[in-house]
Amino acid sequence: MPASAESGREFVLTVSCPDRRGIVHAVSGVMLDLAMTILDSQQFADATSGEFHLRMHLVREGAALPVAEVDAGLAPVAAEFAMEYAVHDLSQRRRVLVMVSQQGHCLNDLLFRVESGSLPVEVPAIVSNHEDFRGLAEWHGVPFHHVPVTRDTKPAAEQQLRDLIAEHRADTIVLARYMQILSADLCADLPGRIINIHHSLLPSFKGAKPYTQAHDRGVKVIGATAHYVTADLDEGPIIEQDFRRVDHRMSPAQLASVGQELEAMALARAVRWHAEHRVVLRGRRTIVFD
């Protein structure tokens, strides 16, 4: 009888390496030796880069199997195929510190999904440069930290943020409409760990009132982009995008309402895929497994 996801300890294995024959066979053999059952396996051979990428969802029944033991089993194969790989124990959920300013639609959506069990992460803290959502955080039982930011206090505020990340053991930071630019140093120190939601399909209408600009230009599609944050503003690797067709009958307020829905959905999917180890980050682009 096949193993089910409920019957044992689950892992996700991600692999990237130069493409050649025999990779899946070799990895599957190690999993067999470790008494692992493959629940799902997806792979992608990238002809543009010559790289091979693999994601396996695994389950081990019976005695617990430490991640270190899986690492040890994979080491010879990894060396043979020059693999970059990671083994993730799904019983250890991502700890997501959420940052927000004065627009709460993405924050509210994320908190609802976490509380309802549909988003497999923990939110140990919310950080904001305003007090607007302290009540919402307290209602959800999540610690709220007010960290004001001005031009003069930005270095001290970022040090406070670093301290909070360490205190709450956060491995992921989500900018849920946080309207401050993070420093290049902070972005460089947390590569692939900061996810932002942008209010349009990139490239975008920059500056204030983007939906008014979109309205004035008579756009036919609006959207949202979730991406990893880098020192290059809004140029980080894209995880997810969503869009909807619009037309001349819609006011700027109606466009903004649709845009907020798209932002919340795109961000939630990006956080989910990041939490489920479905995103492979390769330079300026991503591979996202279904």
Side-chain angles (χ1 to χ4, degrees), residues 16-19 44-53 84 282 287:
S16 296
C17 63
D19 190 17
F44 171 59
D46 189 348
T48 63
S49 67
E51 290 185 323
F52 179 86
H53 305 282
E84 297 176 29
R282 307 304 288 175
I287 291 105

Side-chain angles (χ1 to χ4, degrees), residues 247-269:
D247 61 35
H248 59 276
R249 293 170 294 181
M250 299 180 71
S251 68
Q254 289 173 316
L255 292 177
S257 178
V258 171
Q260 288 183 349
E261 292 179 16
L262 296 173
E263 290 167 20
M265 291 188 293
L267 181 60
R269 286 196 292 270

Side-chain angles (χ1 to χ4, degrees), residues 94-100 106-107 110 119 121 161 165 171-180 182 186-187 190-199 202 224-230 234-241 263-281 286 288:
R94 296 277 199 184
R95 293 178 62 81
V96 176
L97 184 146
V98 182
M99 302 186 71
V100 65
C106 289
L107 171 65
L110 289 173
L119 186 60
V121 303
L161 174 60
I165 292 170
D171 54 65
T172 303
I173 296 87
V174 170
L175 309 183
R177 299 298 283 150
Y178 180 68
M179 306 306 290
Q180 291 288 325
L182 302 182
L186 184 63
C187 295
L190 300 170
R193 293 176 56 189
I194 309 174
I195 299 173
N196 184 43
I197 185 66
H198 194 275
H199 54 240
L202 294 173
T225 302
H227 64 94
Y228 287 117
V229 174
T230 65
D234 296 328
E235 296 290 337
I238 293 170
I239 307 170
E240 169 64 338
Q241 294 182 294
E263 290 167 20
M265 291 188 293
L267 181 60
R269 286 196 292 270
V271 173
R272 170 182 291 281
W273 295 338
H274 176 81
E276 293 177 345
H277 311 286
R278 297 183 180 277
V279 185
V280 179
L281 181 57
T286 60
V288 183

Side-chain angles (χ1 to χ4, degrees), residues 69-218:
E69 190 172 331
V70 183
D71 277 333
L74 278 168
V77 168
E80 178 184 353
F81 289 91
M83 291 178 179
E84 297 176 29
Y85 74 95
V87 182
H88 309 278
D89 184 342
L90 292 186
S91 68
Q92 299 177 2
R93 292 192 169 193
R94 296 277 199 184
R95 293 178 62 81
V96 176
L97 184 146
V98 182
M99 302 186 71
V100 65
S101 289
Q102 292 180 292
Q103 297 183 48
H105 53 286
C106 289
L107 171 65
N108 193 53
D109 181 78
L110 289 173
L111 291 175
F112 172 78
R113 292 175 189 270
V114 172
E115 190 162 302
S116 65
S118 65
L119 186 60
V121 303
E122 298 176 11
V123 179
I126 295 168
V127 175
S128 180
N129 55 328
H130 297 276
E131 288 277 5
D132 298 54
F133 298 110
R134 180 180 292 277
L136 178 65
E138 291 175 348
W139 190 85
H140 282 276
V142 179
F144 181 89
H145 301 276
H146 179 216
V147 182
V149 183
T150 66
R151 184 185 300 273
D152 294 334
T153 65
K154 189 177 183 71
E158 284 208 346
Q159 183 55 53
Q160 189 174 350
L161 174 60
R162 290 176 184 271
D163 293 342
L164 289 170
I165 292 170
E167 175 188 340
H168 292 287
R169 296 179 289 109
D171 54 65
T172 303
I173 296 87
V174 170
L175 309 183
R177 299 298 283 150
Y178 180 68
M179 306 306 290
Q180 291 288 325
I181 298 173
L182 302 182
S183 71
D185 286 343
L186 184 63
C187 295
D189 290 344
L190 300 170
R193 293 176 56 189
I194 309 174
I195 299 173
N196 184 43
I197 185 66
H198 194 275
H199 54 240
S200 66
L201 296 171
L202 294 173
S204 65
F205 294 104
K206 297 184 186 242
K209 299 183 178 179
Y211 292 110
T212 297
Q213 294 181 60
H215 179 265
D216 291 345
R217 289 285 299 276

